Amino acid sequence: MSFEEVKKTVTEIYERVKLESLEERDNLINILHAIQEHYGNYIPLEAAEVLKELTGKSLSEIYEVLTFYTMFSTRRRGKYIIRVCKSLPCHVTGGAAVIEALKNGLGIDYGQTTEDGLFTLEESSCLGLCGVSPVMLINDEAYGNLTPEKVFQIIEEIRERERSDVK
Amino acid sequence: MRKPITVLVSVDSNSVLLGARHFKNYLVDRLAYYNLTELVDVLETGSLGRYDRGVLFLVLPDNTLYGIKNTNDIDRFVEEQLLKGRPVKDLAVEEVKTPKSVEAKKVTEEERIVLKRAGKINPRNIEEYIALDGYQSLAKALKMRPEEIIAEIKESGLRGRGGAGFPTGLKWEFTMKVNAPEKFVICNADEGEPGTFKDRLIMEGDPHSVIEGMLIAGYAVGANKGYVYIRGEYYESVDNLRTAISQAYEYGLLGDNILGSGFSFDLTVRLGAGAYVCGEETALIESIEGKAGRPRLKPPYPPVKGLFQKPTVVNNVETFASVPAILLNGSNWFKSIGTPSSPGTKVFSLCGNLVRRGIVEAPMGTTVADLIYKYGGGIEGGKKLKMVQTGGAAGTFIKAEEISAPMDFDSFKTHGASLGSGVILAIDDSHCAVDVALNLMEFFAHESCGKCTPCREGTRLIVNMLKEFSKGRGSHEMLDNLYNVAYTMQNSAFCGLGQSVPVPLTSLLDRFRDEFEAHIDALECPSGVCKFEKKKKKTKR
C-alpha cells in the first residue's frame, strides 16, 4: 500500500465525514472511526500523516488520539476483534471462566492476534449488556449469557465458516 | 391503520442477544403461513424490562406478556393465542408493577416518566412518538419565555441522573445568563459505568424523548447546536438515535425555524472510542474537539466555558428524557413522585446474581431490598446475598443487612448507599471481597487517563497490593496502606474519576475487614475464590 493510495483514500473519507459536522474542528474522532472501518480494524500510520496536512494538527496530537482510545489501533488486528467484558457484573456471573475459555480456545492472551490472522482478543469494560452477562462483542455483534462451552462453540462456528469460505 | 391485534416484540440490544430478531422474522413467517397477516401487526419496540424469560412479546389489546425462548414457543403462541384466542399459560409472564411511592400514594404504574413509551412504541417511527404526546412539550416550551422554562425545571427539583445529582435548572440558568453569541447543548451518552445500561435502553426504546429534552434545553439557554456523545460500542443506540435525528429533521423539529417559532437547532451524533474517563464532562468535551479525552481543570465550568470555550450545558440521557414530561405536566406533578429532596423516578439497572436481571423505573426512595427482591426476584440459584454495590463502579458496597437503605440522592449521607447512575449489582455469598475489590480496581487502573499522578500511580499501587492479598501475601501494614492511598487519591486526584476510586474500595475494606484479615492471619480465602501460592522455601542467593 503506497503513501499515495492512503492519501487518496483518507482524503476522500475526510471530505465525506466533514459534511456531517456542525463545527470545523469537531470531527477528528469520527474521521478516525471511518478510516478504521475502511481498512478493517486498524488505522495505518500513514493516515496520520495525511490527516496532519488536512486538519493542520500536529502529528503528535493525532498520534495521541490514536493511542489514547482503546477502540483504535495502529497495528493490524484480526478479522474478528473479540472484546470480552472484564467488569464486575460479568465477573460475578461467571466472567472469569469465560475469559479463561477464550484464552484457551484461541491460544492467545489479551492484545494478541491468532496466527491465522482471524482473531484478536481485547479486554473491555462494561458493554452495557449486563442483563445477559457475561458478555462479549465480536466486531459489532454481541453474545450474551456466555459459558465456557458456548465460547468454544462460537469460535468453532466462525472458524468453520471461514474454512468453507476459503473453499 | 393498525390491525386488530398487535404483537410488540422487544428488540433492544439485550433481547437481540436472546434471539429477538430471529424470533420476530419467524413469527412473521408463521403469520403468513396461517393467513393472519391482515389481522396481526408485528412491531419492534424497546425493552420491556426483563431478560430472564427470553424475548418478550406483548399482545395488544389483551395486554398479555409472553416470554419466548425458542421457535416451538412461537408455534404454540401462534396456534393457541392468535388462532384460538386462548392464553398460553406457561409462557405468560406476570408483569412487574411499578410500585406506589410511600410518600405519594396517588402515583400509579401509568406514571412511568422516562420509560413511559419504551416498550410501547416503535422507536424508529417518529409518528408513534408524536401519537403519545411526543413533541407536545417542545411546542409548549416554544411559547414560553426561557426564564419561565428554567423556573419550572428549578421548581420541579430535577437533579442530574448521570450520577452527581446536580440541580438541572440551576445548571441551565448559569448557561442562560452568560452572554455569548454561540452556546452548545451536549447529551452525555457515554455510559461506561459497569452495571449501567439504562441510557442504552432509553436511547434504544425512546430516542425522541432525548432529542425533545435537548431541544427544550437549547431553547431555554439560548443554544443552537447540540451533540449526543455516545459510546462507540453502543451500535444499536447510535443507529436508533441517528434515525430519530433524521426523522426529526424531516418533520421540521430540528433545523431552521422550528414550528415557526424562529428558534433553530442542529443536532448530531459523536462517537466515543473506548475511554471510561470520557464520561467526565470536560473530558467528553475534549473528545468532541478531537483530542485525547483528558479532563480539564475546573473552574471554569462548562456552563461558562465548555465546548470550543463556549457556554455549554452537559446533561445525561435520562435527565434530558425526564424534561418533556415535567414541562407538560408541571413541577408539582413531578414533585408528587419520589422524595422531597429527590423528586421523580429513577431508572435502575438490576444486574449480578439476580433471578430477574433487567431494568425498572421506580420512584426515588425505593429501597435496595425492594429492588432486589420485588423487582429482581431475589438471588439466583438459592444462594445467599452477600453484598450489593449501589450506584455503579464508583458506588458503595453495602452488606446484606443494610439493604433497607432507600435509593435517593441523600441516602449516601445517612445509609452509606449511593444512588449514582442507578446500578443495583447483587453479589452472592460464593464471592470473595478481596477478589471483588481487585476486579474493580483493575478496572480503574485500566481506565485511568494518566493525566495526574495520584490516579495513575494510585490505582496501580492499589491493584498491586490487592493482588498480594489474593495470593495470600497481604499484611496488616498493607491494609493500612490501602486506606492511605485511597485517601490521598480522594483528596488530590485531578477529576471526579480519580477522586471516587476510594469510595468502593474503602466501603469494602470497612465492611468486609474480617475477610481481608482472614487472608492475612488465617492464610485462607473464606469463600475459596483466591488461589494462594504455596510459600516458596527461601533459597540461597
Side-chain angles (χ1 to χ4, degrees), chain B residues 409-441:
Chain B
F409 289 110
D410 300 320
S411 183
F412 185 61
K413 280 176 237 159
T414 41
H415 296 90
S418 45
L419 178 67
S421 53
V423 177
I424 296 291
L425 170 57
I427 299 177
D428 69 37
D429 60 355
S430 68
H431 295 279
C432 159
V434 174
D435 182 61
V436 166
L438 176 60
N439 176 280
L440 204 59
M441 291 301 131

Side-chain angles (χ1 to χ4, degrees), chain B residues 344-403:
Chain B
T345 57
K346 180 82 193 78
V347 181
F348 293 97
S349 325
L350 309 180
C351 57
N353 306 127
L354 286 173
V355 172
R356 281 182 219 141
R357 292 180 279 170
I359 209 131
V360 63
E361 181 172 353
M364 286 279 192
T366 301
T367 62
V368 177
D370 272 355
L371 289 164
I372 288 185
Y373 289 100
K374 212 157 134 193
Y375 302 108
I379 305 305
E380 205 180 19
K383 290 185 179 142
K384 261 179 69 188
L385 179 68
K386 177 168 187 169
M387 56 173 103
V388 186
Q389 188 180 28
T390 64
T396 44
F397 285 88
I398 56 173
K399 288 180 130 176
E401 303 85 281
E402 298 170 284
I403 57 170

Side-chain angles (χ1 to χ4, degrees), chain B residues 432 434-435 438 463-476 478 515-526 529-536:
Chain B
C432 159
V434 174
D435 182 61
L438 176 60
V463 166
N464 287 346
M465 284 191 270
L466 290 172
K467 273 186 181 160
E468 294 293 295
F469 272 96
S470 72
K471 287 174 187 159
R473 295 197 298 243
S475 65
H476 288 277
M478 227 180 251
E515 232 169 274
F516 283 82
E517 282 170 346
H519 282 68
I520 307 168
D521 300 328
L523 273 177
E524 62 164 25
C525 174
V529 174
C530 301
K531 307 264 180 296
F532 289 179
E533 289 173 357
K534 276 183 189 156
K535 275 194 176 166
K536 283 178 189 159

Side-chain angles (χ1 to χ4, degrees), chain A residues 23 25-26 28-30 33 64 68-71 86 88 91-92 125-129 132-133 142 145, chain B residues 17 182 197 200 225 227 231 270 272-274 287-291 293-294 308 353 357 431 435 439 447:
Chain A
E23 289 283 314
R25 295 167 297 165
D26 69 0
L28 181 63
I29 292 179
N30 261 16
H33 272 297
E64 190 189 16
F68 182 83
Y69 295 97
T70 55
M71 286 182 86
K86 270 189 76 181
L88 199 52
H91 184 71
V92 299
S125 303
C126 187
L127 296 164
L129 296 164
V132 289
S133 62
N145 289 330
Chain B
L17 290 183
E182 196 175 27
F197 48 106
R200 160 168 232 159
K225 283 176 186 169
Y227 291 89
R231 283 195 73 186
R270 280 289 168 268
S287 183
I288 295 181
E289 291 183 359
K291 300 175 208 156
R294 296 207 179 87
F308 302 114
N353 306 127
R357 292 180 279 170
H431 295 279
D435 182 61
N439 176 280
E447 295 297 339

